[in-house]
Amino acid sequence: MPIDYSKIPYIFLSEIAEDIKQDFLGAVPGHPGYSYLHAMAQLTDIDEMYGQDSASSVIAYFLANTEDWKTEKSVKIKNYLNRLLEAHKNQ
């Protein structure tokens, strides 16, 4: 079942990462966003840590390094991740 990115329900970051991998052909080792996608796949929630990095910084760096990912799905996912970061910042 496709993930509905129109709302901010509780979606595991690892589920989002799997969805990204299916759509983002550039998600290969060597791509600037790959390590952040790999980290996101290990996370459940924005309040977690990946090593010394917060999940929110992993998401932010992923977004900053995937400007070349431009599909219909990427717009939905990037908008969702940006809203998630904003909501987390305002907690």
Side-chain angles (χ1 to χ4, degrees):
M1 173 184 233
I3 297 172
D4 181 2
Y5 291 102
S6 64
K7 302 177 178 100
I8 296 201
Y10 189 81
I11 303 171
F12 290 155
L13 293 174
S14 58
E15 290 180 275
I16 296 169
E18 287 305 314
D19 209 19
I20 292 168
K21 288 177 187 176
Q22 293 176 13
D23 188 66
F24 183 26
L25 299 177
V28 295
H31 185 279
Y34 180 79
S35 60
Y36 303 107
L37 179 59
H38 176 75
M40 202 182 327
Q42 309 304 311
L43 296 165
T44 302
D45 166 304
I46 197 163
D47 293 315
E48 292 182 331
M49 297 291 290
Y50 181 79
Q52 297 295 315
D53 297 318
S54 67
S56 60
S57 69
V58 169
I59 294 168
Y61 285 120
F62 171 78
L63 291 169
N65 284 282
T66 55
E67 291 179 352
D68 60 330
W69 180 35
K70 297 179 180 181
T71 65
E72 186 177 326
K73 185 179 271 189
S74 75
V75 172
K76 292 175 185 176
I77 293 173
K78 288 178 179 183
N79 284 339
Y80 174 83
L81 291 173
N82 279 308
R83 290 192 323 269
L84 185 63
L85 288 174
E86 190 63 32
H88 181 70
K89 184 172 79 172
N90 292 328
Q91 285 183 340

